[in-house]
Amino acid sequence: MIGISTVRDRILQRFLLQQVYPDLEATFSEGCYAYRPGYSIYLAIDQVMERYRHQPAWVVKADIQKFFDHLSWSLLLSQLEQLDIEPLVVRLVDAGVRGPGGQSLFPSLCQFTQRQV
């Protein structure tokens, strides 16, 4: 069954993203360029080229299929709570991401969970 988000779902997702994103952004590696305001593929390429001139480097492009199907939700939620995000917002994130229309939070939550990799 395909989940189609309603206008209400999309408004809630946008609200949650605005509430949570500043805290998530503070944890992102400076080398992560995907789905971040002010970052682009062109900046990423420039950064790779600049670093490569100074020393050999690895460049990794990855696309993880079904990432959220295998994510430890309890770990993600506890990590959000450790960022001092209000418990109500964490519960809304949990409910909103698992429901239809959670796609607006997916990229930021994905980067947040992978920041220690």
Side-chain angles (χ1 to χ4, degrees):
M1 176 179 245
I2 297 174
I4 300 174
S5 60
T6 64
V7 171
R8 181 185 150 275
D9 291 335
R10 287 182 288 207
I11 290 170
L12 176 61
Q13 289 296 318
R14 200 50 152 164
F15 167 76
L16 290 174
L17 184 60
Q18 290 172 346
Q19 293 295 308
V20 173
Y21 188 80
D23 293 319
L24 298 180
E25 171 75 24
T27 70
F28 295 162
S29 164
E30 69 178 58
C32 292
Y33 286 81
Y35 304 105
R36 293 174 71 184
Y39 289 73
S40 70
I41 191 169
Y42 303 109
L43 289 175
I45 291 169
D46 287 346
Q47 193 62 241
V48 167
M49 296 306 289
E50 182 63 30
R51 288 184 181 175
Y52 185 73
R53 281 187 205 116
H54 297 293
Q55 64 187 28
W58 286 91
V59 177
V60 178
K61 179 188 181 293
D63 186 12
I64 302 172
Q65 292 182 341
K66 298 188 179 186
F67 176 80
F68 284 99
D69 292 345
H70 303 286
L71 178 67
S72 169
W73 287 100
S74 59
L75 178 61
L76 170 63
L77 297 176
S78 70
Q79 289 177 339
L80 289 175
E81 289 170 351
Q82 290 174 7
L83 290 178
D84 292 328
I85 295 173
E86 298 209 22
L88 174 62
V89 174
V90 172
R91 287 194 305 274
L92 287 171
V93 166
D94 183 31
V97 169
R98 293 188 196 207
Q103 295 85 357
S104 63
L105 284 171
F106 283 176
S108 298
L109 291 176
C110 183
Q111 284 204 44
F112 174 68
T113 58
Q114 296 179 36
R115 72 193 185 287
Q116 296 175 334
V117 176

